[in-house]
Amino acid sequence: MASFSPLVIIFLCIFFLSVNANEVTVGGKSGDWKIPPSSSDSFNEWSQKARFKVGDFLVFSYEAGKDSVLQVTREAYEKCNTTSPKASYTDGNTKVKLEQPGPVYFISGTEGHCQKGQKLRLVVVTPRSSLSPAPSPSDGPAVAPTSGAAKLTGVFSVVGLGLGLWALF
């Protein structure tokens, strides 16, 4: 049997454990990007109960042609300013990859919707090892079904961890 350096095994374990990106449906189980029915049902209330990691995808579902999603600066978020977004999405089923840690801001591009609460502020964190996952709140985000490739990643993570532990002992 080939002899592997413990450092190589540890690196492979960390690599396979760190590629667990999720697709998170904005708004949780309801999954609709629309004006919230009350301030207690706001997107920010929802986002505070969730953990968003670099590499995750946000999924916005809305009626194309009647609404949109704008990624904006903090100032534009606070003022509901739709004039110069960082990015604009109009397809009705938008996936946005969270690419760096820190705060991220989204508002509706439809006139008056942001002022009525259709806006989202969240904080993206650097992924942690799957060995110590954060607790998931019961009312947290709905995670979209993953592809077969994502399920294989989980298998590789377990196999990699097992090989790593076996090589160390």
Side-chain angles (χ1 to χ4, degrees):
M1 177 174 281
S3 173
F4 290 103
S5 160
L7 287 176
V8 171
I9 300 298
I10 291 170
F11 171 78
L12 289 173
C13 288
I14 291 171
F15 172 77
F16 285 120
L17 291 172
S18 67
V19 290
N20 290 329
N22 291 313
E23 288 187 4
V24 183
T25 302
V26 172
K29 294 176 184 170
S30 69
D32 291 325
W33 176 244
K34 63 182 181 183
I35 298 170
S38 69
S39 61
S40 64
D41 290 328
S42 77
F43 291 104
N44 292 334
E45 290 287 325
W46 166 79
S47 73
Q48 290 174 359
K49 298 175 185 175
R51 178 178 299 266
F52 303 95
K53 302 179 310 260
V54 170
D56 284 352
F57 289 87
L58 292 179
V59 179
F60 293 84
S61 295
Y62 53 95
E63 192 172 345
K66 294 194 174 183
D67 208 341
S68 63
V69 177
L70 305 180
Q71 185 171 352
V72 296
T73 63
R74 178 181 178 185
E75 183 179 343
Y77 169 86
E78 291 172 352
K79 295 180 179 179
C80 290
N81 182 343
T82 62
T83 58
S84 299
K86 290 179 162 186
S88 177
Y89 308 96
T90 59
D91 64 355
N93 189 30
T94 298
K95 280 187 187 180
V96 178
K97 184 174 184 180
L98 301 174
E99 296 184 356
Q100 59 187 15
V104 184
Y105 304 93
F106 298 93
I107 62 175
S108 169
T110 302
E111 184 70 34
H113 283 207
C114 177
Q115 291 84 347
K116 294 178 181 174
Q118 190 178 350
K119 57 191 203 172
L120 170 63
R121 173 187 64 237
L122 57 91
V123 177
V124 180
V125 298
T126 303
R128 297 181 342 174
S129 166
S130 294
L131 295 175
S132 56
S136 178
S138 59
D139 292 330
V143 178
T146 57
S147 68
K151 291 176 184 171
L152 280 177
T153 300
V155 170
F156 287 129
S157 297
V158 171
V159 170
L161 181 61
L163 285 174
L165 293 173
W166 176 76
L168 291 175
F169 298 104

